[in-house]
Amino acid sequence: MSAGHDRADEGSGHHQETILLDEPTTADLRSKVTDAWREFATALAAMLAKLPSGANVELTLDPTASGTGDAVYSVSVDVAEEGRINARAVGNASLPPGFRMDRAAVADLVALGWSPPGVVEGSGEHFGLRSTTAEASRLATTLSRTLRDVYGAPHPAFLVFLVHDDQDQPLPVDPLGTARPEALLDEDEAALAERVVRGGAESDEVIALDEQVRMVVAAMMKSAPDQLQVDSDGDIGIRAGSAMVFVRVRDNPPLVDVFSPVLTEVEPTEQLYVKLSELTNRMPIGRLYCTNDTVWASIPVFGRNFQATHLMLAVQVMTGLADELDDRLHGEFGGKRFFGEGDKPVHRDPGEDHRTGMYL
């Protein structure tokens, strides 16, 4: 993960047994993240091109999910008459000590087209940029790169957005990839999710497994099911401190896989395998294993006679386990954590294949 701010200088056809032991290493994590940002930027460009005069858009890196505390990294867009756009990006004057941007980050903002605070009329203590709805694609790219490359958003799922009209009333817009609108569950969705959490749908209802999973995860995250945008592999991502947990629904047999790439770019050694075996033996459910250069944690939940409480337990265990284990194993064996800034991979020969990455 790249961050500009200075934080205190710191198969169908396989037997059931085979599928249960299937490794989730086919997921190219770097590609997942890249695809998510591309989807976000494309959706943002489409939205910006259609916004009416007086509309305002706020895009913020969720401090609760990202662990930035009181620091709020955000960009905003105001649409004026004739499609003119005034954009602002947060500056150091609005950031607490320890989270302010260093010179390199400020230079990156300028290179992206932002003017320093006060240069663009009305920008105040923020960086300013002027554009038009006709240049929505270029602007969306600039905003996306600002949030990702300068402010350090690891994934669009950690962004929240608000879109208002000139009367400060919410404007209905299409989803922005995996970014989340600041909205509460409506009553119908909340009631349906609650039924699932309490043990499944009513007897006369037939709800697909993937929809049940969405409702359970949404209820746990206090979100709406349709706000949980899945990636191209059908995975839902959940932040767990410096770790990332994925929830994937499989069809044959029905299975929900809750897994996490605990460490990547780690050197597979005998000591590492012994440690993972010891830890797995002490785990009440799930397992730890290493394939290629990545350590994985996995907890399967059966999809037949699906019980929401079983999935909730698996997610709760995995989020706590992954966040604890990535730190412990990183300290002992090195490698990279999903959101570990400054983590250094083990030394590799230049010709060696680099398999799995999980940072921007």
Side-chain angles (χ1 to χ4, degrees), residues 26-27 52 69 93 166 192 242 255 259 262 288 298 300 308 313 336:
T26 54
D166 56 359
L192 189 54
S242 55
L255 183 76
F259 64 94
V262 178
L288 291 162
S298 175
L313 175 62
K336 280 178 172 285

Side-chain angles (χ1 to χ4, degrees), residues 76-320:
S76 63
V77 170
D78 292 316
V79 180
E81 295 179 356
E82 299 178 353
R84 296 191 304 273
I85 288 180
N86 296 310
R88 295 180 301 277
V90 71
N92 281 337
S94 302
L95 297 172
F99 289 90
R100 291 171 183 164
M101 295 175 287
D102 56 22
R103 291 182 179 180
V106 171
D108 288 341
L109 281 175
V110 174
L112 285 171
W114 296 97
S115 297
V119 174
V120 174
E121 184 179 356
S123 61
E125 297 178 337
H126 293 72
F127 287 80
L129 185 154
R130 285 181 172 169
S131 185
T132 66
T133 53
E135 298 177 322
S137 181
R138 178 181 297 179
L139 177 60
T141 298
T142 298
L143 298 176
S144 300
R145 292 189 59 187
T146 299
L147 291 161
R148 182 193 68 180
D149 300 336
V150 181
Y151 294 158
H155 191 284
F158 298 98
L159 301 177
V160 293
F161 65 92
L162 279 171
V163 184
H164 287 172
D165 61 18
D166 56 359
Q167 301 298 316
D168 204 31
Q169 296 299 309
L171 277 175
V173 295
D174 293 331
L176 295 180
T178 54
R180 296 175 289 115
E182 288 191 5
L184 298 175
L185 289 165
D186 63 39
E187 294 182 1
D188 291 338
E189 289 172 327
L192 189 54
E194 187 65 23
R195 279 209 307 277
V196 174
V197 172
R198 287 174 179 169
E202 296 175 353
S203 58
D204 59 345
E205 296 183 66
V206 177
I207 300 179
L209 177 60
D210 60 342
E211 289 300 317
Q212 295 186 64
V213 168
R214 284 177 181 239
M215 287 185 282
V216 172
V217 175
M220 296 182 71
M221 299 178 68
K222 296 181 174 60
S223 180
D226 62 0
Q227 292 174 14
L228 295 175
Q229 301 294 321
V230 299
D231 61 22
S232 59
D233 291 314
D235 300 340
I236 301 171
I238 304 171
R239 173 76 181 261
S242 55
M244 191 73 170
V245 173
F246 294 99
V247 180
R248 174 181 294 179
V249 178
R250 300 177 182 269
D251 295 326
N252 188 19
L255 183 76
V256 184
D257 193 10
V258 182
F259 64 94
S260 174
V262 178
L263 284 178
T264 190
E265 297 187 49
V266 65
E267 184 69 33
T269 63
E270 183 178 353
Q271 291 84 357
L272 176 62
Y273 288 120
V274 169
K275 172 64 74 172
L276 296 181
S277 177
E278 292 175 350
L279 292 172
T280 296
N281 288 336
R282 300 209 304 262
M283 289 170 59
I285 55 175
R287 67 195 180 104
L288 291 162
Y289 53 92
C290 180
T291 59
N292 297 327
D293 60 359
T294 300
V295 173
W296 298 88
S298 175
I299 299 177
V301 177
F302 286 104
R304 289 196 179 95
N305 301 317
F306 175 74
Q307 297 294 314
T309 52
H310 294 175
L311 176 58
M312 294 177 69
L313 175 62
V315 171
Q316 290 169 350
V317 170
M318 183 59 74
T319 52

